[in-house]
Amino acid sequence: MKILICDPFDPSLPGKLARFGEVTDDPAQLAQADVALVRSKTVCTADWMAGAPNLKLIIRGGVGLDNVDRAAAKERGIEVRNTPEASSVAVAELAMALMIALPNQLIAGHNGMREGKFLKKELKRTELFQKTLGLWGVGRIGTEVARRAAAFGMTVLAYDPFVKSHECAKLVALDTLLAQADYISLHTPLTDDTRGMVNAASLAKMKKGVRIINTGRGKCIDEPALAAALASGHVAGYGTDVWYSDPPDPACPLLQAPNVIRLPHIGASTKENLLRIGVGVEALIGEFAGRKGR
Ligand code: NAD
């Protein structure tokens, strides 16, 4: 079996997979690969699959499968698997980090010090305590955020049409969440329903001064609409790990908008998570090899 590692994984992974066959990270070997390991960087289109006639299994290390054309894979008889449980804590901690950094002026304070400015009087902070957090999507990651936000003394609301009850978030209608939340954190997958869900219409329903956290997907945002809401002050802050494209187009209006904390899609990139993803990948390949008698 030839295993092609297309994107960055934990450095220990090739050694762990060697017992299943040849492991390579040489993209020129795509045509010979039986198994391809991707994260979010490689986009597995129908064309990409056409260049991999031997491929039988794509493993997406992590959660979202929006970079894999599953219909094209099905047509070619290629199995698609992922490791959905691994990343929840890593992403939830980053969402919390952004939610803490925005009202505490961490970036402005830090940058000021580097520029020789001691902004003690200028920088005003606000607390998360007794504020309302609205989780747009409350699956694995949203639930981990809910637990952490509750520990900060926040009231946690959630809108998720596919969840009927929740242990630590109060499920509400979307309009209620938009009207009541001081913070809105996005945790839906990218689907036809969630593409551009933060747009002029939904922004208009949010409280003035809302802060939005996005560790979900960049395409869930209508970027010009959000940039306009940041410029007007209707949205007081945006903390994001995700972009319309990776990396963002230099013309992306959120690169210049005020009160934005910008991260380069590192939600899943903790050392611990890469190890957990590696364990999941190894188990999936073991299962595949066992089934195929390889
Ligand atoms: P999950 O499937 O456990 O949870 C997603 C939730 O969204 C589900 O409960 C689902 O019912 C809900 N949902 C679906 N459509 C919805 C809609 N229209 N409105 C409201 N809720 C809706 O997934 P997860 O593990 O929590 O991951 C969520 C997303 O986080 C992933 O799909 C991925 O896009 C993103 N993610 C980002 C990073 C990163 O590096 N920043 C890493 C991992 C995952």
Side-chain angles (χ1 to χ4, degrees):
M1 177 183 344
K2 182 169 280 198
I3 302 168
L4 174 62
I5 302 186
C6 304
D7 294 337
F9 283 81
D10 188 78
S12 65
L13 190 60
K16 288 178 182 163
L17 298 182
R19 68 190 161 102
F20 297 112
E22 188 190 336
V23 184
T24 175
D25 61 2
D26 175 6
Q29 301 207 34
L30 178 62
Q32 291 83 45
D34 298 285
V35 178
L37 308 185
V38 304
R39 290 190 56 218
S40 57
K41 188 164 171 249
T42 297
V43 182
C44 307
T45 59
D47 279 355
W48 181 87
M49 290 173 210
N54 287 346
L55 204 59
K56 294 157 200 79
L57 174 65
I58 296 171
I59 301 180
R60 168 24 175 140
V63 188
L65 281 170
D66 43 291
N67 57 324
V68 180
D69 183 339
R70 277 176 283 173
K74 195 172 175 195
E75 214 165 275
R76 291 184 161 272
I78 301 171
E79 195 179 335
V80 179
R81 304 291 297 271
N82 65 348
T83 60
E85 311 292 338
S87 309
S88 309
V89 166
V91 182
E93 287 195 7
L94 195 71
M96 290 305 295
L98 288 167
M99 199 150 59
I100 291 166
L102 278 173
N104 284 295
Q105 307 278 15
L106 295 191
I107 305 294
H110 170 83
N111 287 345
M113 295 294 290
R114 285 191 58 139
E115 290 159 14
K117 296 181 205 151
F118 198 68
L119 303 172
K120 182 173 168 66
K121 288 205 182 73
E122 290 83 350
L123 294 182
K124 302 289 176 233
R125 299 170 45 233
T126 56
E127 299 172 4
L128 296 180
F129 182 60
Q130 292 188 338
K131 299 295 188 307
T132 297
L133 167 65
L135 298 168
W136 200 332
V138 70
R140 288 173 291 255
I141 297 170
T143 295
E144 294 298 337
V145 174
R147 292 190 181 123
R148 286 157 178 76
F152 272 72
M154 301 183 88
T155 298
V156 184
L157 307 180
Y159 166 68
D160 190 320
F162 306 104
V163 169
K164 298 299 163 223
S165 65
H166 199 274
E167 63 184 85
C168 54
K170 182 180 175 200
L171 296 168
V172 295
L174 179 58
D175 280 1
T176 307
L177 181 147
L178 297 178
Q180 294 186 2
D182 302 296
Y183 290 80
I184 294 178
S185 192
L186 310 182
H187 300 291
T188 65
L190 179 66
T191 65
D192 288 345
D193 287 339
T194 64
R195 192 178 301 273
M197 67 190 190
V198 174
N199 53 33
S202 58
L203 285 162
K205 293 178 180 173
M206 294 178 195
K207 261 190 190 177
K208 181 170 165 46
V210 66
R211 291 182 173 94
I212 301 173
I213 311 298
N214 191 2
T215 56
R217 282 289 176 263
K219 286 184 174 141
C220 293
I221 300 280
D222 175 334
E223 292 183 333
L226 179 57
L230 283 157
S232 75
H234 181 67
V235 173
Y238 178 54
T240 190
D241 183 43
V242 287
W243 301 91
Y244 204 84
S245 61
D246 265 8
D249 187 309
C252 168
L254 295 171
L255 290 174
Q256 303 305 330
N259 301 319
V260 178
I261 299 181
R262 305 163 181 89
L263 295 177
H265 202 167
I266 52 171
S269 303
T270 65
K271 192 171 182 293
E272 295 84 350
N273 185 37
L274 290 180
L275 282 170
R276 281 192 297 267
I277 287 176
V279 170
V281 166
E282 197 181 344
L284 288 171
I285 294 186
E287 188 194 304
F288 173 75
R291 245 186 301 127
K292 305 279 177 195
R294 283 161 205 277

